[in-house]
Amino acid sequence: MEVVRTVGRQSLKVTLPDGSQREAPSGATTADIAAAIGPGLARSAIAGRVSFAGHTQVYDLDRPLPGDCALKILTASDDDPDSLMVLRHSAAHVMAEAVCRLFPETKLVYGPPLEDGFYYDIDLGRSVSADDIPRIEAEMARVVQENRPFCRYEMPRVPAMEKLRDEGNRYKVDNAERAEGDTLSFYVTGENRGKDFEDLCRGPHIPRTGLIKAFKVRQVSRSHYRGDVNDQPLQRLYGTAFFKQASLAAYLEQLEQAKKRDHRVIGKELGLFAISEAVGSGLILWLPRGAVVRTQLQQYLTEEMLKLGYDLVYTPHVGQLGLYRTSGHYPYYEDSQYPAMFETERGKAIQGVLQLALRVKDRAGAERDQGLAAVRGMLRAVEGTWGTLEGLRGDAALEQVIERLYAALTDEPGYLLRPMNCPHHIQIYAARQRSYRDLPVRLAEYGTVYRFEQSGEISGMTRVRGFTQDDAHLFCTTDQLAAELATTVKLTRSVLETLGLHDYRVRLGLRDESSNKYVGSPENWKKAEAAIRQAAIESGMQYTEEPGEAAFYGPKIDFLVKDCIGRNWQLGTVQADYNLPERFDLTYIGSDNAPHRPVMVHRAPFGSMERFVGILIEHFAGAFPLWLSPVQVAVATVSEKSDEYASSVYQTVKAAGLRAELDTSSEKIGPKKHRLRNAKINYILVVGEQETAGRSVNVNDRDGRSVGNMTLDAFISACRTEVESKGRTRVGGA
């Protein structure tokens, strides 16, 4: 968001990260502050992270500071996410210029930075193939070598829109129409405006192209404009960039490791899950072996919850629309929900108009005009049958039409596939009057929820349309809140560390005061944010505070886990909520015999079972610890002479509660062991004539280690110890 510069001041105060302050003349830039600190910093500075009037924004190095502000000077560092964001945004422009040089008929759409790189969507009549990538990279290298500056300029909105319409790129016109403010900004890659490459862009960018020391165009895929499959198909070019070649090399090696661990490939090889187009994309079919992993995780967490006084509940997969209107999930987040199921013909008809209007809203130019005409035609038909919709004029703008259509649906009865479990748990709490003696009430459910993710965003188990949350909601007094938060944080940490996910960082997701997506009073938000901050402090964890990352009803503590090849995943979450109890008018009777408002804690250590298991598959490369493995033990014979004894061993192992399989095929033992190791089975019990005679088993593990001969009782006992310790011990002691 653009912030307004202080007017009438001859100087400004800049507060640096160490708390020191610098006085600078009005109009000073990040570059000026860096130069005042020292020549070394001036040489390495690339941009500034500016906090001003409650907002934080990254500024170009030569962009005037907005007034008194806090400033972090960003340098060319691969360890700073803000620095990488600026670099990658600039690299996206360089890639766009290279593509336009090679394919002049290209129409650029948009190209944002990502956490691990960047992409640019393009509209091009021919397909870009993998064979084109070296040519694009070579052209990018030329742009980098030219070391041209990124130069920003601004234009008033009206002439800027005229300029874009004259250029004839519908996507840039549409992007500009969506932008806020009275001016639009452009970036020229060079000093020759009108000759050098330029792009509509808010920025920020690095000072010069030559700072892009290492980059890679990774792949090209299909996409659709704004995710609408009914709109223009596009091509999406993905890339990444770093300040150092070594960082790029490490990242590419990480990608190679990730390919080997891809849960979609391993899941198919090990028979863990399937996705059927007949069922629908983004909807997971848990195969028997995958169901074992999920069941073991749920049993483990359930045991921990029962120790802490949780009650298990079950709730429906759908609910009345009124429930989600009260919670705030509908219609505020309708874009990510499945369409509501209205009961009346009037409701169904208005919904049809609304769905068309929402699609038209994302279009521009003639397509938008044609779509608006269709919307108005449908409206006339609806109003001809059910009467005029209140407050809706015939010449109303599309945004006003959408607003009035939502208003017309306000009281229409219907149902919604649940996007969250919390409104259902709230109704269980409200099913009877509660006393302060009953609190805290801790309700837990493995509840499936549904999100209508765009087709281009779906990915295996990690981004799906239906997923099961290990959801729990705690209702407590304000005096109990600190203890409940502390216990849930401790539980989440224990779950992650039990699964070997020790490397994580903690993020406090706070409200962005400039956004209107949050519900509830500022007073409630202050109390909730103070509570989660105190819980994080008392846990002893290091954490960062990030405005804008809160849930719409309350702040949260998120656990961002780094897996064994360095990728980050947002998993467990703990949230404090004063707002939903107020929206649903929840009460309990206090010791003073008067009604009081409880506080809610939302908690999910796993998050989504689908996503969590997908991540575990990749973290362990399918080689689960013994307690989670779908098949823990395989019994394999050397020859048919040992078949009878092997069958007896197999039955004994199964009777002991271990998941096992038996291989008495005529295949030689070497290939048998190789196959069973590839199947990620923890222990292979080889049975030959010697073992049959000695009533023992020869124990091998999937890593190729030979434990040696053991009695069957000793092996089973060692396995039980390994399971109970969640892998802290191993059979054979290694």
Side-chain angles (χ1 to χ4, degrees), residues 407-482:
L409 290 171
T410 298
D411 297 319
E412 286 290 331
Y415 288 84
L416 186 70
L417 278 173
R418 64 178 176 191
M420 295 288 277
N421 298 304
C422 38
H424 294 245
H425 291 186
I426 285 170
Q427 294 308 305
I428 291 178
Y429 176 89
R432 66 177 178 85
Q433 181 63 64
R434 306 283 179 170
S435 161
Y436 72 97
R437 293 187 179 89
D438 300 325
L439 271 56
V441 172
R442 306 181 184 96
L443 305 177
E445 176 181 15
Y446 298 101
T448 304
V449 297
Y450 301 90
R451 309 284 172 81
F452 191 48
E453 301 284 3
Q454 299 295 330
S455 58
E457 297 174 339
I458 293 170
S459 177
M461 299 182 86
T462 56
R463 193 75 180 264
V464 293
R465 286 176 168 164
F467 55 93
T468 302
Q469 292 180 305
D470 58 319
D471 226 349
H473 296 92
L474 291 66
F475 303 83
C476 62
T477 69
T478 53
D479 290 340
Q480 295 168 334
L481 178 60

Side-chain angles (χ1 to χ4, degrees), residues 277-291:
E277 289 304 318
V279 175
S281 59
L283 300 170
I284 301 301
L285 299 173
W286 292 83
L287 302 181
R289 292 190 175 189

Side-chain angles (χ1 to χ4, degrees), residues 152 379 387 458 465 522 541 604 620 649 678 691 698 702 711:
R152 175 190 177 100
L379 265 178
I458 293 170
R465 286 176 168 164
M541 301 181 298
F620 293 120
V649 169
N678 284 342
E691 288 74 28
N698 185 268
R702 63 188 170 203
T711 66

Side-chain angles (χ1 to χ4, degrees), residues 149-151 153 186-193 196-198:
F150 286 95
C151 298
Y153 73 91
F186 299 80
Y187 278 82
V188 183
T189 311
E191 297 174 331
N192 300 309
R193 181 174 162 183
D196 288 330
F197 174 83
E198 73 171 61

Side-chain angles (χ1 to χ4, degrees), residues 575-633:
Q575 305 165 1
D577 179 9
Y578 281 80
N579 290 315
L580 289 186
E582 192 168 284
R583 290 174 75 92
F584 282 95
D585 194 25
L586 300 183
T587 61
Y588 67 90
I589 302 302
S591 58
D592 57 359
N593 211 32
H596 297 267
R597 187 82 69 208
V599 185
M600 281 181 70
V601 175
H602 305 244
R603 181 242 67 187
F606 294 140
S608 153
M609 296 301 299
E610 286 75 6
R611 186 165 188 248
F612 195 85
V613 170
I615 291 166
L616 283 186
I617 291 170
E618 297 191 355
H619 181 70
F620 293 120
F624 293 105
L626 186 66
W627 69 281
L628 280 181
S629 280
V631 182
Q632 298 165 312
V633 180

